[in-house]
């Protein structure tokens, strides 16, 4: 009898989700090579050298050590971040993922320059702290460490929607995360219990060793692919 993944993980397994990963072929290929996919975004990188960064990296390494981790394309450690607000991206040139007052064929570099201008006098909504609330094959699911932190993060997103000129359909329900990897193939169902045990252990480890994950201030970044996010302007 095959193992069945828990409901929160069904999207990552062959038996419960046979459809190809959504970004396969545009963001990365079947060999795990990351492809050109330029865009911009607002992220908070992990604090280099911090104890919480070390704990997050340890969880990433535990995932990489799984015998079927070859089905995952891992991003570099230097790219680890939490996305606060999604910018525009080459393969999503349509409303409402693009400002309605800007032509849909404007180059990504021109869009980045436009947003740099719009963000020059941007005032952030204050500092916030985050914690891990889940572990998946993609990485960590995170949330504000307290209700106050969660409210501040929502305020940041609301404020950023003004200079960016849009609100994504998931604006209010956006799930914050720190990406470790993307699936090149869905995981085998018979591996569900092994992965679930790993995720449970990793979440307990993070709750113990990194109850708060330290982040650098939010920054407007440009990227060419998922391997590097260049900070152009620190916000707030």
């Amino acid at each position: 009898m095959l193992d069945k993944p828990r409901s929160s993980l069904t999207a990552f397994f062959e038996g419960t989700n046979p459809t190809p990963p959504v970004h396969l072929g545009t963001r990365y290929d079947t060999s795990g090579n990351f492809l050109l996919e330029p865009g911009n975004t607002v992220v908070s990188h992990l604090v280099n050298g911090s104890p919480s960064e070390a704990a997050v990296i340890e969880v990433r390494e535990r995932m990489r050590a799984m015998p079927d981790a070859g089905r995952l394309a891992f991003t570099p450690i230097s790219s680890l971040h939490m996305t606060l607000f999604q910018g525009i991206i080459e393969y999503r040139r349509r409303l409402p993922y693009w400002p309605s007052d800007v032509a849909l064929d404007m180059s990504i570099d021109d869009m980045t320059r436009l947003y740099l201008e719009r963000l020059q006098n941007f005032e952030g909504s204050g500092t916030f702290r985050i914690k891990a609330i889940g572990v998946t094959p993609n990485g960590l699911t995170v949330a504000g460490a307290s209700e106050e932190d969660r409210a501040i993060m929502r305020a940041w997103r609301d404020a950023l929607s003004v200079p960016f000129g849009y609100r994504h359909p998931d604006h209010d329900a956006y799930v914050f995360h720190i990406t470790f990897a993307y699936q090149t193939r869905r995981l085998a169902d018979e591996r569900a219990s092994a992965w679930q045990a790993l995720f449970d252990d990793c979440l307990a480890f993070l709750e113990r060793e990194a109850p708060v994950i330290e982040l650098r201030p939010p920054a407007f970044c440009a990227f060419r692919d998922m391997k590097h996010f260049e900070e152009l302007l620190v916000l707030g």
Side-chain angles (χ1 to χ4, degrees), residues 102-173:
V102 179
L104 290 172
D105 60 355
M106 182 178 281
S107 75
I108 298 296
D109 287 344
D110 284 343
M111 289 295 295
T112 296
R113 284 189 284 269
L114 173 65
Y115 282 145
L116 271 173
E117 293 175 4
R118 291 185 179 184
L119 291 166
Q120 284 303 314
N121 297 313
F122 179 82
E123 295 185 5
S125 301
T127 59
F128 56 85
R129 304 177 307 154
I130 67 164
K131 64 181 179 181
I133 60 171
V135 185
T136 76
N138 287 150
L140 305 183
T141 305
V142 301
S146 69
E147 183 53 48
E148 180 181 3
D149 294 311
R150 292 188 284 274
I152 292 171
M153 293 165 75
R154 289 193 298 270
W156 269 96
R157 288 180 59 77
D158 288 344
L160 285 165
S161 70
V162 177
F164 277 86
Y166 53 71
R167 292 167 70 98
H168 287 193
D170 67 351
H171 180 88
D172 295 318

Side-chain angles (χ1 to χ4, degrees), residues 52-210:
S52 60
E53 182 199 42
V56 170
I57 291 171
E58 170 64 21
V59 171
R60 177 182 177 275
E61 292 308 300
R62 291 184 187 184
M63 288 175 56
R64 290 183 68 232
M66 293 291 275
D68 47 344
R71 297 186 181 209
L72 302 174
F74 284 84
T75 58
I77 288 174
S78 60
S79 74
L80 293 175
H81 65 270
M82 185 204 76
T83 300
L84 186 60
F85 191 90
Q86 300 153 287
I88 53 91
I89 197 165
E90 179 61 44
Y91 297 113
R92 199 163 54 198
R93 290 175 173 272
R94 60 187 184 278
L95 302 177
Y97 305 99
W98 198 274
S100 60
D101 62 338
V102 179
L104 290 172
D105 60 355
M106 182 178 281
S107 75
I108 298 296
D109 287 344
D110 284 343
M111 289 295 295
T112 296
R113 284 189 284 269
L114 173 65
Y115 282 145
L116 271 173
E117 293 175 4
R118 291 185 179 184
L119 291 166
Q120 284 303 314
N121 297 313
F122 179 82
E123 295 185 5
S125 301
T127 59
F128 56 85
R129 304 177 307 154
I130 67 164
K131 64 181 179 181
I133 60 171
V135 185
T136 76
N138 287 150
L140 305 183
T141 305
V142 301
S146 69
E147 183 53 48
E148 180 181 3
D149 294 311
R150 292 188 284 274
I152 292 171
M153 293 165 75
R154 289 193 298 270
W156 269 96
R157 288 180 59 77
D158 288 344
L160 285 165
S161 70
V162 177
F164 277 86
Y166 53 71
R167 292 167 70 98
H168 287 193
D170 67 351
H171 180 88
D172 295 318
Y174 183 75
V175 178
F176 295 100
H177 56 276
I178 297 173
T179 297
F180 292 171
Y182 295 91
Q183 286 194 295
T184 56
R185 292 175 60 196
R186 302 296 185 199
L187 298 174
D189 287 40
E190 58 267 23
R191 294 285 298 153
S193 62
W195 280 98
Q196 188 63 66
L198 173 73
F199 297 148
D200 291 344
D201 287 346
C202 286
L203 184 57
F205 170 77
L206 289 171
E207 289 172 343
R208 182 175 67 253
E209 300 295 329

